[in-house]
Amino acid sequence: MAPQRLVVLISGRGSNLKALIDACERGEINGRVVGVISNRPDAGGLEFARARGIPEQVLNHRDYAGREPFDAALAGAIEAFEPDLVLLAGFMRILTPGFVERFTGRLLNIHPSLLPKYRGLDTHARALADGETEHGASVHFVTPKLDGGPVIMQARVPVLADDTEASLSARVQQAEHRLYPAAAGLVCSGRIQWSEPTIRYDGAPLEAPLQLDHEVTSHAPGESS
């Protein structure tokens, strides 16, 4: 397969963007990031794009009258890059059904929970409040249902007795930096394909999400034990 053209949407510091760019440059993803779009002009991830010579663009959602006109402008900006795959990497916007349907099958998201648990926000705090012993992250195809699309792959992270929201978040994010490139790599290689309602992995129906073969350390770098 020819290298896939990837567009990444961000709202913040872009740590998953950096992980994706690095994985492309190492040849772990059969693709390259051809554009980065942010809805926030102060998003730190824009600096990663500039440093790597990747075209970046800001579409400030505050400049639009509502979700529909913003999503229409966003879709146009994405299509200008002629992408094969669009990756949401900390993009903090709920997308309209029309936008999602326009990119169905080529729109991925990473979410900080073991879906279908803890859709939406504050996933780490909710996992701690419920006394979970395991938490993690999921990469899924995007559908109009919030965080409800079919899951490709997950990374599992143990919840420690002394975990805080910050410490658990840091460890999950470590796992995300391995998880997103691994899942995107499978899609870009053609090993993962989605034709509603079935994800196929190497041609066979995927009965349950793949699990990242990644040993997560007990504490994030720089944390005391």
Side-chain angles (χ1 to χ4, degrees):
M1 291 178 62
Q4 301 292 282
R5 295 173 61 84
L6 314 180
V7 170
V8 184
L9 308 187
I10 64 170
S11 295
R13 60 184 178 176
S15 64
N16 273 310
L17 166 66
K18 182 177 184 299
L20 290 164
I21 293 171
D22 288 346
C24 288
E25 291 183 350
R26 292 193 299 265
E28 296 169 7
I29 297 175
N30 179 36
R32 62 189 181 94
V33 178
V34 297
V36 174
I37 302 174
S38 175
N39 67 307
R40 295 178 57 95
D42 59 347
L46 294 169
E47 291 298 328
F48 286 135
R50 294 183 192 119
R52 303 295 179 91
I54 298 169
E56 43 82 18
Q57 185 174 352
V58 174
L59 287 179
N60 191 334
H61 62 276
R62 298 181 184 277
D63 295 338
Y64 295 84
R67 292 189 186 280
E68 286 78 10
F70 172 76
D71 280 8
L74 178 61
I78 292 170
E79 293 285 22
F81 289 109
E82 300 181 340
D84 297 297
L85 196 63
V86 181
L87 301 156
L88 308 182
F91 187 65
M92 303 303 290
R93 295 284 300 172
I94 296 175
L95 298 166
T96 57
F99 178 94
V100 172
E101 289 163 7
R102 183 169 177 171
F103 293 98
T104 294
R106 53 185 178 131
L107 186 60
L108 297 186
N109 183 46
I110 188 164
H111 181 73
S113 80
L114 297 174
L115 293 172
K117 288 186 175 181
Y118 308 119
R119 294 173 175 144
L121 301 175
D122 303 320
T123 62
H124 311 304
R126 290 157 64 194
L128 289 171
D130 287 348
E132 297 282 4
T133 59
E134 191 175 53
H135 191 41
S138 306
V139 174
H140 64 95
F141 285 104
V142 178
T143 65
K145 184 177 180 180
L146 180 65
D147 300 325
V151 178
I152 299 166
M153 181 181 282
Q154 295 177 322
R156 295 177 179 273
V157 173
V159 180
L160 307 179
D162 61 348
D163 260 329
T164 63
E165 185 178 351
S167 65
L168 182 57
S169 173
R171 224 164 44 255
V172 169
Q173 191 171 72
Q174 279 186 284
E176 288 181 8
H177 296 163
R178 298 280 303 276
L179 174 66
Y180 213 174
L186 290 175
V187 176
C188 287
S189 69
R191 297 185 66 191
I192 285 284
Q193 296 182 336
W194 179 39
S195 179
E196 289 190 88
T198 304
I199 292 181
R200 292 188 176 274
Y201 175 49
D202 288 342
L206 183 65
E207 302 295 343
L210 299 170
Q211 301 298 312
L212 182 67
D213 183 18
H214 170 54
E215 182 178 353
V216 181
T217 57
S218 295
H219 291 272
E223 280 185 17
S224 58
S225 52

